[in-house]
Amino acid sequence: MRKYLLMLSAWILFFSCSDDSKTVTPEPGSIFKVEYIQSGKYEDYKKEIGFSEPLVYEGTAVETGLIVNDVALTDGKYVFVTSKNLELLKVTFNTEPKEGSGEMAEFVINVYRDGKRIDNKSFKVAGSGVMKHSWEYKSK
């Protein structure tokens, strides 16, 4: 009888334990961060930075929308991040001088994938015409 009780206890113990070795599969894609810096007389320029998906301002839950224009770009530096992993991020940057301006301004865009800088774009303008740029960044 003791053997049966021991076997029953072992059987209950065996089937009552959960499977703790569940494998965590990472979400596909990458987290992207876009750093936008403007200096000089950037107020003299119409500018917009666009994204294929709305990003959030770093450290907040506030979404950017697909396009951020010069009305919202009044400070010298902004950092935007993806709120989820993405397979592909498209970034556009357009600028043109406002009527009657011609002072020097510089615009810098740094792109990071999973914490590592993967691209750096820098544009110095002095009253030049319309500039339109676009880039695509894959998760890997």
Side-chain angles (χ1 to χ4, degrees):
M1 184 72 163
R2 186 181 279 184
K3 287 182 183 180
Y4 291 118
L5 285 176
L6 187 57
M7 285 178 47
L8 179 63
S9 296
W11 184 79
I12 290 173
L13 184 63
F14 178 75
F15 284 105
S16 66
C17 293
S18 65
D19 183 12
D20 293 335
S21 63
K22 292 181 182 174
T23 305
V24 176
T25 306
E27 190 177 325
S30 294
I31 294 292
F32 290 94
K33 177 169 88 170
V34 178
E35 184 179 64
Y36 173 78
I37 303 165
Q38 51 190 6
S39 59
K41 289 288 195 174
Y42 59 85
E43 316 81 22
D44 290 350
Y45 293 85
K46 297 176 190 174
K47 62 242 176 228
E48 63 182 25
I49 185 166
F51 308 107
S52 55
E53 300 233 356
L55 276 59
V56 296
Y57 292 91
E58 186 175 53
T60 73
V62 178
E63 282 195 352
T64 61
L66 296 177
I67 296 176
V68 182
N69 62 27
D70 56 306
V71 173
L73 296 172
T74 57
D75 294 333
K77 181 178 178 181
Y78 294 89
V79 180
F80 313 104
V81 295
T82 57
S83 57
K84 62 182 179 182
N85 286 9
L86 298 179
E87 289 292 325
L88 177 70
L89 175 66
K90 295 179 183 180
V91 178
T92 61
F93 177 68
N94 304 319
T95 187
E96 67 178 279
K98 292 180 181 175
E99 186 89 21
S101 64
E103 297 291 319
M104 176 71 75
E106 183 174 8
F107 305 98
V108 176
I109 299 172
N110 293 308
V111 179
Y112 298 81
R113 177 179 53 221
D114 296 327
K116 182 179 177 187
R117 188 167 83 172
I118 60 170
D119 200 4
N120 168 262
K121 306 291 186 192
S122 180
F123 307 98
K124 287 186 180 180
V125 295
S128 58
V130 175
M131 292 176 31
K132 294 185 177 202
H133 301 280
S134 64
W135 309 277
E136 291 186 357
Y137 302 99
K138 295 182 179 179
S139 65
K140 291 214 182 184

